[in-house]
Amino acid sequence: MHAFIARRVLQSLYVLVALSVVIFFLIRFAPGNPSVIRLGFTEDMDAHAARERDEKELGLDKPIYVQYYRWVTHVVRGDFGVTVTLGIGVDVRTLVLEKARRSLPIALAAMLIGIVFSIPLGIIAGTRPNTVIDHAVTAFSLFGVAAPSFWVGLMLILFFAVRLGWFPTSGYGPIEGGFSFHNLVLPASTLGIQLVGGLTRFMRSGMLDVMSSDYIRTAHAKGLKYWAVVMRHALKNALLVVVTVIALTFGGLLTGAVVTETVFAWPGLGQLLVTAIKRLDYGVVQAAVLLAGSSFIFVNLIADIAYGYLDPRIRYQ
Amino acid sequence: MSNRTLDAVGPVEPVSRARGLWREVWRNYRHNRAAMLGGAVFLLLCLVAVVGFTPYDPEYGDFDNLLASPSLKHPMGTDNIGRDILSRVIIGGRVSLRVGVMAIAISATAGVIAGLVAGYYGRWIDSVIMRILEVVLALPGLLLALLLVAYLGPSLTNAMLAISIVFIPPYARVVRANTLSLREMEYVMAARSIGASDVRIMFRGILPNTLSPIIVQVSLLLSVAILVEAALSFLGLGVQPPTPAWGSMMAESQQFIDLAWWMPTFPGMAIFVTVIALNFIGDGLREALDPRQRRS
C-alpha cells in the first residue's frame, strides 16, 4: 500500500511540474511580447527604451531555464503579479481566489444534485435491466450527457425565468449586491443535470456488474430479502465506482463552471478565465489554469488512493 | 449445390474472411434499432451539411422580418437582424461537423501511431510517450482546449487543432494496451522471423486487430468533439462571426431570449440530435463488434 501511494504521489508531482512547464512555455511563445503586453502599449519610439528596461527587469534576457526557475519560485509563493486588464493593479492571486470562492456555491449545489439523484436512479435502473424503468432512466441520463449545458441553461432560463418568472435570468445576487439563493437555482440545476447524466450511467453499470456476481447469488440463496441484498451487499461494492466518479465529477465541475457561469453571468472562476483569455491577460489565465489543474490532479490522486485502499486489486495493476 | 458445400468447408481466402467479419458486424448492427436510427439521422445530417442547400442566404439580413417567429416562410424563425435561422443551422452544422470530423481524424491518426509505437517498442519509448500523454490528461478536456485556444488565438482552425490534441490520449491508450498483448502473439513473431519490418508488423499485423475499439472510440469521441467545439464557439473562442456555428448562434441568442425563444432552441436541438445519434451509433458499433459486451 505504501509503495502504491508513493508511486501515485510521485506521478502526480511529475504531472504537476510538467503542467507548469507547458504553461510557462505557452506563455513565453504566445503571440506578442510579454513586456509589451505588460506595458500595455505597442512598439513606438518612446516605448522602446521602456521595453528594454522592462525586459531586463522581467529577466527576459536570461537563458530560458533561469527564466523558468524565476517564474516557478514566484508561482510557488503564489505571486502571479498584477493585472491591468481586469481593474488597475489588482493582485492576480487575490482576484483568482475571490472568483474561485464565488464559484463554490454552484459547484457544491451541483455536486449535491448529482449525487442525490444519480445513486438512487443508478440503483433502480441497475437492478432492473431492460425494464421500462431502466429505459426511462437510461434515456434521462443520455439527455444529461448529450444536451450541451449552455443549451440546457438557456432552456431553463426560457421556461423558469422568462415564461414563469420564478427565478432571475442571470447574476450572482440582487443588484444591490451580495449573494442570493434565488439566483443559484438555475445555474446549479444546469450543471447538476449534466452531472446526473454521467453519474447515473456509471452507477447503473456498477450495479449491473455487482448484481450478476456470485456472492450476490449466494446472498439470495440464503434467503435474504431482496432489498437487504441490494442495500447491504450489492450497494457497498457498487459504491466503489462512486469514488472514481467523484473525481470525474470534479473535472466536469471545472469545465461546466466555465460554460454555466458564462450563460448565467455568474462572476466566478470560469467567467474570469474566459474574460482573461479574450483580453490576452496571460497572468490571470495561468493562475486560473494552474489552480484548476492542480486541484484536478490533487482530487484524482486522492480518489486513486482511496480506491486502492478500498479495493486491493487496484494496487497491483 | 455441391459447390456450395465445398465452398463452406474449403480453404477461405483472407480477403473473403475479412469481408465475412464485416458482414457479421453489419448483421449485428442492423438488429439494433437505436443504432440504425442514429445512423440514419447522422447520415441525413451529413448529407444536408455536404449538399449545403439553404432556403435563404445565411448571412443575408431581411430587415422586414426581424425576430420573426417560426412560420411557413421561415420554419425556424429569424434572428435579430432578420437572418433565416434554418439556413444558419444548416451552414452551422456544416462548420461544426467539419471541425469535429477533422479534429477526430487528426487525433485518431496521432493517437494510433503513438499507441502502436509505445506498445510495440516498449521500454523508454513507451515511458516517454505515456508521460507526455499524462500531461495532456492533467486538465479536463474543455479546459485544455481553452488554454490552447488562449495562446493560439480564437479561430476555427485553432479550435480544431486544440480539440484534436485533447483527444489523442484515449486512442493512444486503447491501441497501446492492445499492442502490448498482440506483440507477444505467435503470428507477430512469425512475421518478424521472415523479416517483416517493424512498420509493416505494426500497420499490417497489429493495427487491423485493434481496429474495433478504435472505431467505437471514433463515433463516441466525435460526439464529445462536437460538444467541445460548440462550447468553444459559444464562449466566442471558436468559429468567428459572421460564419454561423451552432455554439455561437446560441451565444448571440442570449440577449433576445425574452423576445425570441426560437433563437436558442433550434441550434441547441441540432447539437443535441447530432450527439444523441452519434451515441447510438457508438453503442451499436460496440455491441456489434464485441458480442460479449451485449446487454443481457
Side-chain angles (χ1 to χ4, degrees):
Chain A
M1 189 67 200
H2 288 300
F4 171 74
I5 293 177
R7 205 165 62 226
R8 274 303 277 116
V9 169
L10 269 180
Q11 191 206 7
S12 300
L13 279 177
Y14 153 74
V15 173
L16 199 59
V17 171
L19 181 68
S20 76
V21 172
V22 169
I23 291 176
F24 171 76
F25 274 90
L26 280 174
I27 293 161
R28 278 299 280 115
F29 297 111
N33 183 304
S35 89
V36 173
I37 288 162
R38 195 174 100 131
L39 288 167
F41 43 75
T42 42
E43 309 167 45
D44 51 45
M45 291 301 283
D46 287 339
H48 197 73
R51 202 180 122 192
E52 251 175 19
R53 190 164 15 92
D54 200 56
E55 275 185 2
K56 206 154 213 140
E57 188 196 315
L58 286 170
L60 295 178
D61 52 346
K62 299 262 163 49
I64 196 83
Y65 56 89
V66 176
Q67 290 184 38
Y68 174 73
Y69 177 76
R70 273 182 65 142
W71 179 78
V72 155
T73 48
H74 279 94
V75 164
V76 169
R77 273 180 268 138
D79 176 10
F80 289 94
V82 292
T83 169
V84 280
T85 69
L86 299 146
I88 302 298
V90 179
D91 180 40
V92 171
R93 187 179 61 158
T94 321
L95 182 70
V96 167
L97 289 180
E98 161 69 17
K99 296 288 182 180
R101 199 176 57 79
R102 291 196 173 196
S103 290
L104 222 51
I106 297 190
L108 290 178
M111 202 151 186
L112 196 69
I113 293 174
I115 291 171
V116 164
F117 282 93
S118 65
I119 292 180
L121 283 178
I123 294 175
I124 291 170
T127 48
R128 296 173 186 71
N130 290 320
T131 58
V132 178
I133 300 176
D134 177 35
H135 289 314
V137 170
T138 307
F140 175 73
S141 58
L142 188 60
F143 174 82
V145 176
S149 54
F150 44 93
W151 186 53
V152 173
L154 288 174
M155 292 298 110
L156 290 178
I157 291 177
L158 205 54
F159 195 71
F160 291 103
V162 175
R163 197 56 52 93
L164 297 174
W166 288 359
F167 304 103
T169 51
S170 63
Y172 183 69
I175 300 163
E176 306 87 78
F179 163 77
S180 145
F181 186 74
H182 216 54
N183 288 58
L184 181 65
V185 177
L186 293 186
S189 311
T190 304
L191 201 45
I193 288 174
Q194 206 186 9
L195 293 184
V196 173
L199 295 188
T200 305
R201 283 182 140 192
F202 270 100
M203 193 62 211
R204 176 186 176 277
S205 66
M207 205 64 196
L208 213 55
D209 271 354
V210 173
M211 287 306 282
S212 59
S213 59
D214 288 340
Y215 81 96
I216 292 297
R217 196 176 308 132
T218 310
H220 282 305
K222 73 177 184 182
L224 286 181
K225 288 227 173 61
Y226 182 74
W227 281 107
V229 175
V230 171
M231 301 308 286
R232 302 240 315 261
H233 295 250
L235 186 60
K236 214 181 264 176
N237 271 326
L239 276 178
L240 269 178
V241 182
V242 173
V243 178
T244 323
V245 153
I246 286 174
L248 282 173
T249 312
F250 191 75
L253 285 174
L254 285 174
T255 56
V258 176
V259 173
T260 311
E261 286 176 8
T262 305
V263 175
F264 291 94
W266 187 276
L269 191 62
Q271 214 197 19
L272 177 75
L273 181 61
V274 175
T275 317
I277 288 174
K278 285 183 179 164
R279 295 190 187 167
L280 301 177
D281 196 326
Y282 294 122
V284 175
V285 173
Q286 51 169 290
V289 171
L290 269 177
L291 178 67
S294 49
S295 45
F296 185 61
I297 294 169
F298 181 72
V299 168
N300 271 309
L301 172 68
I302 297 297
D304 271 5
I305 291 176
Y307 208 99
Y309 181 74
L310 295 169
D311 185 350
R313 284 168 301 180
I314 298 294
R315 281 177 239 163
Y316 301 105
Q317 268 181 13
Chain B
M1 262 131 277
S2 57
N3 267 346
R4 196 177 287 165
T5 35
L6 260 182
D7 276 352
V9 288
V12 191
E13 282 177 36
V15 182
S16 66
R17 201 188 307 156
R19 199 177 293 154
L21 174 75
W22 291 111
R23 195 174 293 156
E24 167 87 19
V25 167
W26 168 240
R27 201 168 42 229
N28 289 335
Y29 186 86
R30 213 175 42 195
H31 288 301
N32 189 332
R33 244 182 294 166
M36 284 303 279
L37 180 71
V41 169
F42 186 67
L43 279 181
L44 187 72
L45 284 167
C46 288
L47 195 71
V48 169
V50 169
V51 172
F53 172 77
T54 56
Y56 298 88
D57 178 353
E59 286 168 29
Y60 168 73
D62 176 3
F63 291 100
D64 294 329
N65 274 308
L66 300 182
L67 294 175
S69 58
S71 62
L72 280 177
K73 207 173 151 208
H74 296 285
M76 294 184 182
T78 63
D79 68 3
N80 54 310
I81 49 176
R83 295 176 296 196
D84 180 51
I85 293 191
L86 174 62
S87 306
R88 290 179 69 72
V89 165
I90 292 172
I91 297 303
R94 174 187 241 176
V95 173
S96 300
L97 285 174
R98 196 175 64 201
V99 172
V101 169
M102 293 282 280
I104 289 302
I106 297 172
S107 56
T109 310
V112 165
I113 294 174
L116 277 175
V117 170
Y120 185 75
Y121 290 109
R123 294 202 259 186
W124 66 270
I125 297 179
D126 181 30
S127 307
V128 169
I129 292 178
M130 294 323 280
R131 291 298 89 78
I132 292 173
L133 293 179
E134 268 169 26
V135 181
V136 178
L137 289 170
L139 287 174
L142 179 63
L143 216 56
L144 179 61
L146 273 177
L147 180 69
L148 292 170
V149 169
Y151 292 108
L152 297 169
S155 80
L156 184 111
T157 323
N158 290 342
M160 198 169 73
L161 210 66
I163 295 170
S164 39
I165 291 175
V166 169
F167 288 111
I168 292 175
Y171 292 104
R173 285 186 151 185
V174 164
V175 174
R176 174 182 174 268
N178 272 313
T179 309
L180 278 178
S181 61
L182 286 171
R183 74 166 179 194
E184 307 297 337
M185 305 272 271
E186 276 171 9
Y187 79 93
V188 172
M189 205 183 294
R192 204 176 293 150
S193 68
I194 59 167
S197 68
D198 286 347
V199 175
R200 190 184 163 83
I201 294 175
M202 278 191 272
F203 285 92
R204 298 295 297 273
I206 295 177
L207 183 60
N209 281 312
T210 179
L211 220 49
S212 28
I214 299 175
I215 293 171
V216 174
Q217 291 274 18
V218 163
S219 57
L220 292 178
L221 289 182
L222 181 56
S223 73
V224 187
I226 286 173
L227 280 174
V228 173
E229 186 277 329
L232 285 178
S233 295
F234 177 78
L235 297 172
L237 298 171
V239 178
Q240 297 299 307
T243 310
W246 290 337
S248 53
M249 288 175 73
M250 298 182 61
E252 289 160 17
S253 78
Q254 260 196 291
Q255 283 175 275
F256 307 98
I257 194 160
D258 46 347
L259 299 169
W261 58 265
W262 50 92
M263 271 182 76
T265 305
F266 293 112
M269 221 174 255
I271 302 174
F272 180 61
V273 169
T274 312
V275 173
I276 287 269
L278 284 169
N279 265 295
F280 283 169
I281 295 174
D283 286 345
L285 282 174
R286 185 181 7 225
E287 286 171 20
L289 288 165
D290 184 4
R292 279 167 303 175
Q293 288 246 341
R294 218 164 292 163
R295 277 190 212 160
S296 48

